[in-house]
Amino acid sequence: MKATLFLLTLLSAQTAVASARSRLFSISGIGNNGVAQHCPSKKTALAIPRGGRTASSSSITSTSPPSKTKTTTSSAVTKGLKNTLASGLAAACSKTILAPFDTIKTVQQSVEGGKSIGLLEAGRRIASRPGGALNLYAGLGVAALGSMPSVGLYFGVYSYCKEMIGPRLIECLGSEREGKKDAFCSDGALKTVTIMCSAAIGNTVASFSRVPYEVVKQSLQTGQYPSTFQAMSSMWKEGGMRSFFPLGGISIQMLRDIPYAIFTLLSYEYIKENWVLKTTVGDSPINNRMLRDMIAGATAGGIGSYLTNPLDVIKTRLQTTGSLSSSYGGSISTCASAVLEEGGPMAFLRGSVPRLMHKIPANGFFFVFYEFFRRVLRVEQ
């Protein structure tokens, strides 16, 4: 009897041990034969959606990286906004410094008939008005405040378009074509096309915002109104919104500004890449860099200004309020024919000397301030 009880107790103990061992192996994922078996963990179980479909491990353990397009667009927008602020501040600084030359240029170009007045005569006429020499700064307030949004918009759009257009042209036609295909044209040529297209787009957008302040500024410079407030109120009473957007005003503004921007920025980008950024002279790199920025900007501005002076003469005629501009009916061709009849081909160079005297240092100062504010805002080079 005792032997029977002993055997029953032993069998019961072996059964309990076997059951415990089975539970232990099932939890650890190891079979009774010592081989590891797959057992879904809690992490894997949580990855099963409610619909019953098991999510793939790649979708659980990793997330897809942000697309290159989104990153490029975000970077281009950031640079565009920073360039907008930098160029707006730079425009206000340069306008303030060189306002007298712009006033003299406007007076020279607005003379009626076949007459042509010199630099000193234009300055004498301006100084003879009530207010004396301060008239050389006529329209400065509206010019500085008006130029900030227009120039800022222009350079902001230019920077954005350059960041977006350039890489795509190189991917489609340049050295980075898909399938290791031969480049359709060189990357240098594509960069030139990128600058031209970006400058044209930026100026097209900015020209619409530039016309009103140009019209008011030139009305003040020619002595038609004594103050900005009186000019704006009188022009509004006379013709409403049309006074600030005269016939042909926007088209000639774009016709002058787009070629000017292309010539100027092509020259500046070339000089900057091949001279400014490659030259290191002296122990004061900051001062030396500012001097090189000024020389590059002044040279580029002189090239763009001289090549587009004929268009600037027509623009001034069409945007100067009064009988002179209304006689052309807003027609660019009619205005150009009238200028040609008045003084021949040389009539299109009227105001070129004071314009160059204004634009060369103006662009020099502008690009110095522009690059300075870019460095302050940490715009990537």
Side-chain angles (χ1 to χ4, degrees), residues 315-342:
K315 180 194 79 71
T316 301
R317 291 294 188 92
L318 288 173
Q319 291 185 347
T320 304
T321 57
S323 60
L324 181 62
S325 61
S326 60
S327 62
Y328 305 130
S331 172
I332 296 175
S333 58
T334 301
C335 181
S337 300
V339 173
L340 184 63
E341 291 176 2
E342 290 174 7

Side-chain angles (χ1 to χ4, degrees), residues 128-146:
S128 64
R129 301 175 195 160
L134 291 177
N135 289 305
L136 290 170
Y137 291 90
L140 174 60
V142 69
L145 294 176

Side-chain angles (χ1 to χ4, degrees), residues 278-361:
K278 291 185 178 180
T279 305
T280 53
V281 182
D283 298 327
S284 55
I286 296 178
N287 295 335
N288 186 54
R289 171 62 191 273
M290 293 179 71
L291 178 61
R292 284 180 277 133
D293 286 337
M294 178 175 286
I295 294 173
T299 304
I303 294 172
S305 298
Y306 190 78
L307 292 177
T308 58
N309 197 81
L311 298 173
D312 190 60
V313 173
I314 299 173
K315 180 194 79 71
T316 301
R317 291 294 188 92
L318 288 173
Q319 291 185 347
T320 304
T321 57
S323 60
L324 181 62
S325 61
S326 60
S327 62
Y328 305 130
S331 172
I332 296 175
S333 58
T334 301
C335 181
S337 300
V339 173
L340 184 63
E341 291 176 2
E342 290 174 7
M346 294 300 295
F348 290 101
L349 295 179
R350 287 177 180 172
S352 59
V353 173
R355 187 168 188 246
L356 288 172
M357 292 176 66
H358 170 253
K359 287 292 184 179
I360 289 177

